[in-house]
Amino acid sequence: MNDVRPAFPATDPPSAWPEATQTQAETFPRDYDDDQGGNLHDLLWTAWDAKWLILAILAIATAAGFYRYLSTDPSYTANGLMQIETNQAGASALQAFEQYGEVLGGSVSVAAEIAVMKSRPVMSDVVERLNLDIRATPVYYPYFGRAIARSYRGPGVAKPWFGRSQYAWGGERIQVQSLLVPQAFYGKPLILEAGTEGSYRLLSPAGAELLRGETGVRAQTQIDGEPLVIFVTRLKARAGTHFHVKKLTVNAAAAGLARSFSAAERPAQSGILRTSFTAGEPERAATVLNAIMENYQRRNLERKGEEADKTLAFLEKQLPPLQTRLEAAETAYKDYLREHGTIDITRETQEVLTSITEIESELFTLQQERERLRARFKPAHPKIRSIDSLVDRLSARLAALEAQTESLPTVQQTVLRLKRDVEVTSGLYSNLINSLQELRIAKAGTVGNARIIEDALPPGGPVAPSLSRKVLTSIMIGLLVALALVYLRVKLRRGIDDPDALEQRIGLPVLATIPFSQAQDRIAKAIKKRHKTAVQPLALQAPGDPAVESIRSLRTSLHFLLLEANNKTLLITGPTQEVGKSFLSLNLAVLLAQAGSKVLLIDGDMRKGHLHRLAGVRPQQGLCEYLTGDLGPNPSILHLEEMGIDFLPAGTRPPNPADLLMHERFAALLESSSGRYDYVLIDAPPVLAVTDAAVIGQHGGATLMVARSPMNNAEQVEQSIKTLQQSGARTRGMILNGISLQSRYSYRYRYRYAYRYADTKTDRQPKPAPS
């Protein structure tokens, strides 16, 4: 079995490597970045490699930001200032009526007041007061019509663009004072088409005419028995311009109003509310905000008087029955005295009578308080339970006093009872009259706990859109998208760009890394043009190119590579097509010839060989004709004077290239050529595509595997080498072609491309690169 060990294993020390490889190891030590740093370096270099894509995405994002800015309507925010008194709910004049403190006010929560301010009842009143449930806006041209209309500053109305007069292009105005639509049209935009001299037509969303009207005149009609009424107070537009007119429900309009309104306590615990409202026009923003603050202040005052009104109603309801009772008690007492005459009451009896009167008055007052509290609290509330406990104690004391009067004579008991009724009822009536008067005075002096400190004024400029914010936001989004694409590009990339990792996996040395050459790319494009076939190879056209310098280092390694080989035949192949093996074979042959070696270059790809085009010749016969016997015993070898090499082209394309390569003539050709030439280079077909390379490799002294960085992966290289090993080919090393100088691993090899030969026609050694 043939020896397929690598000529220079990756595990050997640098001293065992060829001259160029050892120099490379000394110049670029292995203490490079760890995986994390390498990944970051790879991302950065990939981002730089895709800089034009990133710049294009950023340009699109910037344009999108400008479009968003121009297509967004300006919004204006008006600001106001209110104060919420959290410790008391009324003016200082109410402090004299402490017994009505719970009725007329108490401590409040600022957060609760903000919630009340944004509630639907408050907002609904503002909607109905300012007709905010009516929306009337011009119809703009799609995408950019709004931006054009915003930029218009001329007098009157702008001329239509593209002949589209139905759209608004700048200067159009409309104001709808009132709008009543059938239930089916709520929330749907009706189309108002402007006419001449203030006339207009109102169309349904489907385009059917509903009515005709004039500015300043109320127009109405019937739709399926339901009224449709519209009153347009202002209309400034050319004939044919369309407007959208929409009627919202009060709840929907109030919800939209609440979303545009905000209030916050600043500073905290200060009771100072900073309110704001955002609208499309500065005057509208200030008007709506003032209406909200005024409506809340009015409702706050009304809410503070509601409890007083309820108490007044309760007391006024108790007054007539008590007055009737007092009159009946006085009449009964007078009639009894007239019938029995004056009756003297002892001092002890008078004291008992006074105590009974006070207790009954207090019980009556407690019962009133209990009825008032029952309207607000449940019977188990602590306040109600406390009153019930006090009533029980007073009732027990009253029962004890009444028991003392039972020992008196019957006449005195009757007089005592009648006099007690008069005094108790009179006292209660007087207290009730006084309470009513005091409560009326207190209610008259009641003020709310909210007051407006600063009214809202129209803002001087819009708060949105912000050009810088829109553009910067779009740029940031574009940058994130671009970086995400770069990241995916790195993660999804399966090409080979790390020679060290490839060496560790395959077990063969990477003899050279050929950087991508712009000059060779131009040569390849010129060769594709049929009228430009006489093109020099890169080694002659650009001898100082980094790719040529790398092939020179490979040339140095070939001497050591073929020391153990049984012949000087070198097979150059690759896993797949278009890896650059033909480019490498030709330029390596030229450089070997420049070093004084006698070189034969054979195009062994009789299927799709194009080495003759790279060499600039038009052969009629070649390897195919020799193997078929058409040329006799001698092959048709061309001598390329300018390049200094001999060349055997592939010839015509046979139907059975693999069978021809297995003929004894091919082995004889290689044996005779190895004796007459210092180097025989064979450009073979790809390994994974056909079996030709495996057949040729049986006769070669060494085989080099060429892989292209962005096209091949390690799996393909590994499978190709296994295929060659199974056929007996001696694979001695690998070559990475097309390495980008912007790869994260190329910085280890980039220094050796920095120098140039002083005389590219000779084989002078380059000066060492600075460390």
Side-chain angles (χ1 to χ4, degrees), residues 233-254:
T233 58
R234 184 185 181 188
L235 180 60
K236 178 184 178 183
R238 83 182 69 83
T241 304
H242 287 181
F243 295 84
H244 278 161
V245 181
K246 184 189 299 185
K247 178 71 172 183
L248 303 176
T249 62
V250 175
N251 290 340

Side-chain angles (χ1 to χ4, degrees), residues 70-242:
L70 294 176
S71 60
T72 303
D73 287 336
S75 57
Y76 300 83
T77 299
N79 299 296
L81 203 62
M82 295 193 70
Q83 182 181 16
I84 305 296
E85 297 179 358
T86 57
N87 294 327
Q88 59 182 12
S92 59
L94 298 180
Q95 296 177 357
F97 307 101
E98 296 180 356
Q99 58 178 323
Y100 305 111
E102 295 182 357
V103 176
L104 298 174
S107 60
V108 296
S109 169
V110 175
E113 294 301 312
I114 293 177
V116 172
M117 193 180 301
K118 300 180 68 173
S119 63
R120 187 176 61 206
V122 175
M123 295 299 174
S124 299
D125 288 347
V126 177
V127 168
E128 295 177 351
R129 173 183 169 188
L130 301 180
N131 295 325
L132 299 179
D133 54 346
I134 302 174
R135 304 286 174 83
T137 57
V139 179
Y140 299 103
Y141 192 81
Y143 304 114
F144 55 84
R146 188 183 302 272
I148 295 175
R150 282 180 51 195
S151 62
Y152 178 72
R153 295 293 184 271
V157 180
K159 295 182 179 180
W161 289 37
F162 318 117
R164 301 297 183 93
S165 59
Q166 71 270 29
Y167 295 109
W169 298 98
E172 294 81 5
R173 297 289 184 273
I174 187 173
Q175 183 176 357
V176 180
Q177 183 66 28
S178 62
L179 178 65
L180 179 62
V181 298
Q183 190 67 29
F185 287 160
Y186 269 91
K188 298 181 179 180
L190 304 179
I191 302 174
L192 188 145
E193 180 181 332
T196 57
E197 298 180 355
S199 62
Y200 60 85
R201 291 194 310 154
L202 189 64
L203 311 177
S204 68
E209 181 176 318
L210 300 177
L211 59 78
R212 292 176 177 265
E214 294 182 0
T215 304
V217 179
R218 186 181 303 272
Q220 59 184 4
T221 186
Q222 292 284 332
I223 305 295
D224 296 334
E226 297 184 67
L228 172 62
V229 183
I230 185 172
F231 182 31
V232 180
T233 58
R234 184 185 181 188
L235 180 60
K236 178 184 178 183
R238 83 182 69 83
T241 304
H242 287 181

Side-chain angles (χ1 to χ4, degrees), residues 499-699:
D500 296 326
L502 185 63
E503 287 179 347
Q504 294 175 4
R505 175 166 181 169
I506 305 300
L508 291 176
V510 175
L511 300 178
T513 55
I514 314 299
F516 176 79
S517 173
Q518 296 288 347
Q520 177 60 29
D521 188 57
R522 291 191 294 269
I523 293 174
K525 292 180 180 178
I527 292 176
K528 290 182 179 180
K529 299 179 180 179
R530 295 183 179 179
H531 61 282
K532 289 187 177 181
T533 55
V535 179
Q536 290 183 333
L538 183 65
L540 297 179
Q541 190 175 101
D545 191 87
V548 178
E549 301 293 349
S550 183
I551 299 176
R552 280 195 179 94
S553 74
L554 175 63
R555 178 189 64 183
T556 306
S557 303
L558 288 181
H559 174 73
F560 302 95
L561 187 68
L562 296 176
L563 285 178
E564 299 179 0
N566 54 7
N567 57 54
K568 296 295 185 68
T569 302
L570 181 65
L571 176 66
I572 300 177
T573 185
T576 58
Q577 298 179 3
E578 299 181 358
V579 296
K581 54 185 180 56
S582 299
F583 150 76
L584 180 63
S585 301
L586 178 60
N587 286 276
L588 179 59
V590 172
L591 292 178
L592 288 171
Q594 289 180 355
S597 300
K598 190 175 182 180
V599 182
L600 172 62
L601 177 62
I602 300 177
D603 189 352
D605 189 355
M606 292 183 290
R607 301 174 185 267
K608 295 183 178 181
H610 62 282
L611 194 56
H612 62 280
R613 298 186 64 188
L614 297 179
V617 298
R618 296 178 180 270
Q620 299 297 327
Q621 296 176 336
L623 180 61
C624 176
E625 285 72 20
Y626 169 73
L627 296 179
T628 57
D630 295 342
L631 297 180
N634 299 317
S636 179
I637 297 178
L638 304 177
H639 179 68
L640 306 179
E641 184 67 28
E642 184 179 6
M643 303 179 192
I645 64 173
D646 289 346
F647 175 53
L648 179 60
T652 58
R653 297 181 179 178
N656 54 345
D659 296 338
L660 292 179
L661 291 173
M662 297 176 64
H663 198 277
E664 60 183 10
R665 287 194 183 95
F666 184 69
L669 173 64
L670 295 183
E671 183 177 357
S672 62
S673 300
S674 180
R676 292 186 292 113
Y677 291 94
D678 296 326
Y679 294 96
V680 178
L681 305 183
I682 303 177
D683 178 18
V687 178
L688 299 181
V690 293
T691 61
D692 298 11
V695 175
I696 299 174
Q698 298 175 3
H699 308 285

